[in-house]
C-alpha cells in the first residue's frame, strides 16, 4: 500500500470515519472496494448499528406501504385545515346579520316616529274644561236656523245653541 | 371586535335617525291639532248621568232644565291643519271640524253642524288649547244634542 493509503487507514483506525475528510472517505471507500483483504481486516473496528434498528430497517415488509404513507399525509393535511366550530360559525353569522339588524332597527325606529300615531294619552278621556279665551271671527246659520250664545256665567258654561224654527 | 363594531354602528345609526326624526316629529306637532269631540244627549226624561259627565251635568243643570246627560259619542283624533274631521252624532247630526292654524296655545278652527244633509251652522273661532267649547242643537224628541269640542 502507498503511504497515502496507510495514512488514511491509520487515521481511520484512530479517529473513525468522523475524523476523515470527504476526500479521505472517498479514498478509503475505493481502497476497501479494491482490497477485500483490507476490508476484512477493518471489519471488527466498524461500529455495528443497533440490532433492533438494523432488523427494522432490513424488514422491508414491516415498513408502511406507500399507500399507507399517503393516507397519513392526507390526514395530516386534513387535520391542519381550519374546522368550522360552532363558535366561529356563530361569529360569521353575526358578522353578516349585525349590519342588517342594525339597519332594520333604524328603519323601524324612523317609521315609528313618523307614523307612530297620536301622542300618549290620546285615547284617555280628557277632562272637560270649559272657559278659556274664545273669540268668534265669523258665524253663519243656514235655512231657517238661527243661533243663540247662552252665556253660562260663573255657575255654568257658555253654549252656542243652534235653533231651528218649527215649520 | 366585530360584535363591538356592530353595536357601535347600531348606536350611531339610531342617534342619526333620532336627529332626523326629531325635527320631523316637531313639525308634525305644529301642523296637527288633536281634538276630543263628545256627543251628549241631554234629556228631561230621566236623571241618568254618564260618569264622565258628572261635573258638566252639575254645571248644565244650573242653567238648563235637563236632568239626564248621556255620553253617546266620543272621538279623539289628530287632525292636520286645513283637513276636516267629520264626526257622526246621533239623529243624523254631524259635526265637522277643520283646524286652520295654531299659534302658541290658540287654535283657530271652523266648526260646522249639519242635521241630515242640511248645514245649519258654520262658525270660525279661535279657542284655547285644552279648553272645551260647547255647541247644542235641539233634537226631534225634545232632547238636545250637546257637542263638546276640546282642541289640544
Amino acid at each position: 500500500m502507498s503511504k497515502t493509503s496507510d495514512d488514511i487507514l491509520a487515521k481511520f483506525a484512530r479517529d473513525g470515519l468522523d475524523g476523515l475528510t470527504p476526500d479521505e472517505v472517498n479514498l478509503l471507500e475505493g481502497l476497501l472496494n479494491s482490497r477485500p483483504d483490507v476490508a476484512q481486516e477493518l471489519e471488527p473496528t466498524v461500529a455495528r448499528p443497533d440490532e433492533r434498528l438494523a432488523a427494522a430497517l432490513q424488514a422491508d415488509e414491516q415498513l408502511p406501504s406507500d399507500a399507507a404513507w399517503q393516507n397519513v399525509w392526507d390526514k395530516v393535511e386534513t387535520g391542519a385545515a381550519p374546522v368550522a366550530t360552532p363558535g366561529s360559525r356563530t361569529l360569521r353569522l353575526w358578522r353578516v346579520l349585525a349590519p342588517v339588524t342594525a339597519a332594520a332597527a333604524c328603519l323601524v325606529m324612523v317609521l315609528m316616529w313618523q307614523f307612530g300615531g297620536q301622542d300618549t294619552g290620546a285615547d284617555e278621556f280628557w277632562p272637560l274644561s270649559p272657559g278659556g279665551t274664545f273669540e268668534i271671527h265669523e258665524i253663519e246659520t243656514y235655512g231657517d236656523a238661527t243661533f243663540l250664545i247662552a252665556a253660562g256665567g260663573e255657575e255654568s258654561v257658555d253654549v252656542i245653541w243652534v235653533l231651528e224654527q218649527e215649520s | 371586535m366585530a360584535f363591538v363594531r356592530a353595536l357601535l354602528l347600531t348606536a350611531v345609526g339610531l342617534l342619526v335617525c333620532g336627529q332626523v326624526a326629531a325635527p320631523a316629529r316637531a313639525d308634525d306637532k305644529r301642523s296637527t291639532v288633536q281634538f276630543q269631540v263628545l256627543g251628549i244627549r241631554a234629556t228631561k226624561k230621566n236623571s241618568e248621568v254618564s260618569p264622565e259627565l258628572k261635573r258638566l251635568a252639575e254645571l248644565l243643570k244650573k242653567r238648563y232644565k235637563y236632568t239626564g246627560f248621556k255620553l253617546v259619542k266620543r272621538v279623539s283624533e289628530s287632525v292636520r291643519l286645513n283637513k276636516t274631521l267629520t264626526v257622526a252624532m246621533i239623529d243624523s247630526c254631524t259635526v265637522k271640524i277643520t283646524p286652520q292654524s295654531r299659534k302658541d296655545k290658540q287654535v283657530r278652527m271652523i266648526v260646522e253642524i249639519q242635521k241630515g244633509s242640511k248645514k245649519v251652522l258654520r262658525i270660525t273661532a279661535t279657542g284655547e288649547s285644552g279648553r272645551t267649547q260647547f255647541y247644542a242643537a235641539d233634537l226631534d224628541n225634545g232632547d238636545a244634542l250637546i257637542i263638546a269640542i276640546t282642541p289640544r
Side-chain angles (χ1 to χ4, degrees):
Chain A
M1 284 187 282
S2 64
K3 189 174 188 282
T4 307
S5 301
D6 287 338
D7 291 337
I8 290 173
L9 285 172
K11 197 173 181 183
F12 173 67
R14 185 180 65 246
D15 301 329
L17 272 175
D18 291 338
L20 296 179
T21 64
D23 290 336
E24 289 171 342
V25 170
N26 290 335
L27 284 171
L28 177 63
E29 186 182 11
L31 179 63
L32 293 175
N33 288 335
S34 62
R35 296 287 300 273
D37 56 326
V38 175
Q40 198 171 2
E41 276 183 33
L42 292 177
E43 192 179 1
T45 64
V46 175
R48 296 287 178 193
D50 183 79
E51 288 180 3
R52 285 184 300 171
L53 179 59
L57 289 173
Q58 287 172 3
D60 288 342
E61 66 273 12
Q62 293 180 9
L63 291 174
S65 64
D66 290 342
W69 275 119
Q70 189 57 44
N71 190 32
V72 168
W73 285 118
D74 289 344
K75 285 183 180 174
V76 168
E77 288 176 2
T78 305
V83 176
T85 64
S88 65
R89 269 198 291 269
T90 303
L91 192 59
R92 275 204 305 275
L93 200 61
W94 176 250
R95 281 195 193 120
V96 171
L97 287 182
V100 175
T101 307
C106 291
L107 184 62
V108 167
M109 293 296 291
V110 169
L111 288 174
M112 282 174 64
W113 275 320
Q114 287 291 335
F115 304 109
Q118 303 167 8
D119 290 340
T120 304
D123 290 336
E124 298 173 357
F125 186 89
W126 301 354
L128 297 175
S129 179
T133 58
F134 187 70
E135 182 183 351
I136 296 175
H137 307 293
E138 192 178 46
I139 188 164
E140 289 178 76
T141 55
Y142 301 87
D144 53 4
T146 185
F147 72 92
L148 169 70
I149 299 178
E154 290 180 0
E155 294 186 337
S156 186
V157 297
D158 298 341
V159 178
I160 299 173
W161 211 285
V162 180
L163 303 169
E164 286 180 280
Q165 293 182 11
E166 291 180 22
S167 54
Chain B
M1 196 62 187
F3 178 76
V4 172
R5 192 160 56 226
L7 273 182
L8 284 173
L9 273 174
T10 306
V12 168
L14 286 173
L15 276 172
V16 169
C17 289
Q19 291 302 314
V20 167
R25 193 70 177 161
D27 282 343
D28 194 56
K29 277 196 174 213
R30 284 192 289 268
S31 62
T32 60
V33 179
Q34 276 186 284
F35 285 99
Q36 176 179 260
V37 183
L38 304 182
I40 303 163
R41 179 191 287 275
T43 186
K44 298 172 190 173
K45 302 184 183 72
N46 60 55
S47 301
E48 295 166 9
V49 176
S50 296
E52 305 92 337
L53 305 176
K54 278 193 175 152
R55 173 66 185 141
L56 178 65
E58 295 301 318
L59 294 172
L60 289 172
K61 278 177 189 176
K62 291 176 183 176
R63 182 73 172 83
Y64 308 99
K65 302 298 178 187
Y66 299 102
T67 53
F69 299 90
K70 185 178 177 184
L71 183 66
V72 294
K73 186 82 175 190
R74 178 181 173 259
V75 169
S76 179
E77 270 199 40
S78 189
V79 187
R80 285 197 171 273
L81 295 181
N82 300 312
K83 298 293 180 189
T84 300
L85 169 66
T86 301
V87 181
M89 293 289 175
I90 52 174
D91 288 11
S92 305
C93 288
T94 305
V95 62
K96 295 184 180 183
I97 306 164
T98 307
Q100 290 186 306
S101 65
R102 68 179 306 157
K103 187 180 176 184
D104 298 326
K105 285 197 164 187
Q106 303 298 315
V107 177
R108 181 181 171 120
M109 67 200 107
I110 300 173
V111 176
E112 290 182 0
I113 295 175
Q114 270 183 234
K115 291 187 89 177
S117 58
K118 198 172 57 172
K119 185 160 49 177
V120 293
L121 175 78
R122 184 176 193 272
I123 180 169
T124 305
T126 297
E128 200 173 316
S129 175
R131 297 294 203 154
T132 307
Q133 298 303 322
F134 297 92
Y135 305 82
D138 291 321
L139 298 175
D140 293 337
N141 61 354
D143 292 346
L145 171 66
I146 298 175
I147 302 167
I149 299 174
T150 310
R152 210 185 248 186

